[in-house]
Amino acid sequence: MFESYGVLNIWTYVLGAIFIIMVPGPNTLFVLKTGITRGVKEGYKAALAVFIGDAVLIFCAYIGIASLIRSSPFLFSLVKMLGALYLLYLGLKILYSTLSKKGQSQSSAHEEPEHVFRKALTLSLTNPKAILFYVSFFVQFIDMNYAHSGISFAILAVILEMISFCYMTLLIFSGAALAHFLSEKKRLAKLGNSMVGLLFLGFATKLATSA
């Protein structure tokens, strides 16, 4: 069926996409944290921003921005460092709000809820390696002899977003359920938030030091 639209080995692609989406990263971690601290509605707001960010990066990959970044080491390094700095900022902010007296006296569920979408979108868009990934991964499943490669690219993108939606939904509802458990265990919640902050710092270091 999909071969007629220039898509090759569709089930291999689906399996690969599932494993790739399930690998922990800043986006999924932020959606999970939002589900825990702010509930299902804000969790879906964060997930929507991730979907939009991924769609933008996929489109950029399709029109060739990935080739531009690959051919310009300075541009690639610049975007990569901006992404690392933003992850560093988020990690430090989470740690500060968790460990400070303000963080102990106020629930993080009430801190800047209007910024959830913006933060998640920024996380999604400040990852230049995602563009390169989409090119290198998608191209393996596209028939280069097919005249309308844009259709092939769109099919693969929709499948990826559908899988991502299912996984994000699982994270959001798991996070919301976990929130009820943590609401009575303040020390455990504090430890969990601290771990999230440290993970963001780890993502920032990995992005900044990666080749």
Side-chain angles (χ1 to χ4, degrees):
M1 174 184 175
F2 288 102
E3 285 81 359
S4 60
Y5 295 101
V7 176
L8 306 173
N9 304 315
I10 185 63
W11 294 115
T12 302
Y13 169 77
V14 169
L15 185 62
I18 290 173
F19 280 110
I20 288 165
I21 289 171
M22 291 182 67
V23 173
N27 291 340
T28 54
L29 190 62
F30 186 78
V31 171
L32 176 61
K33 182 182 183 299
T34 302
I36 293 174
T37 59
R38 295 168 182 167
V40 172
K41 182 179 179 180
E42 295 297 321
Y44 271 113
K45 188 183 293 186
L48 176 62
V50 172
F51 300 149
I52 293 175
D54 284 346
V56 170
L57 293 182
I58 291 170
F59 180 72
C60 289
Y62 172 67
I63 63 176
I65 289 181
S67 299
L68 174 62
I69 292 178
R70 186 185 290 113
S71 64
S72 174
F74 172 76
L75 180 59
F76 179 77
S77 298
L78 177 62
V79 178
K80 184 174 71 171
M81 289 306 298
L82 289 175
L85 287 173
Y86 189 70
L87 288 173
L88 179 66
Y89 162 75
L90 283 182
L92 292 175
K93 185 173 182 180
I94 291 170
L95 287 174
Y96 176 76
S97 64
T98 299
L99 301 177
S100 68
K101 291 182 180 180
K102 180 181 178 181
Q104 294 173 15
S105 62
Q106 295 181 1
S107 170
S108 59
H110 300 292
E111 293 176 6
E112 301 178 343
E114 69 275 11
H115 293 160
V116 167
F117 183 89
R118 187 195 67 191
K119 287 182 178 179
L121 184 61
T122 304
L123 272 177
S124 229
L125 294 176
T126 52
N127 185 3
K129 287 200 166 184
I131 303 177
L132 303 181
F133 161 75
Y134 288 133
V135 170
S136 61
F137 183 64
F138 281 15
V139 73
Q140 301 176 54
F141 302 96
I142 294 177
D143 184 358
M144 294 306 170
N145 295 319
Y146 183 63
H148 307 287
S149 60
I151 296 177
S152 310
F153 224 91
I155 291 173
L156 296 180
V158 169
I159 292 173
L160 186 76
E161 294 282 45
M162 288 175 62
I163 296 171
S164 182
F165 174 79
C166 293
Y167 184 58
M168 293 292 185
T169 295
L170 176 63
L171 290 179
I172 291 166
F173 280 94
S174 297
L178 189 59
H180 292 290
F181 173 73
L182 294 177
S183 63
E184 301 299 326
K185 302 182 182 299
K186 302 298 183 182
R187 289 185 178 180
L188 188 59
K190 185 175 180 180
L191 176 62
N193 281 333
S194 298
M195 290 299 297
V196 170
L198 290 174
L199 282 172
F200 272 106
L201 296 182
F203 288 132
T205 302
K206 181 179 180 182
L207 181 58
T209 58
S210 60

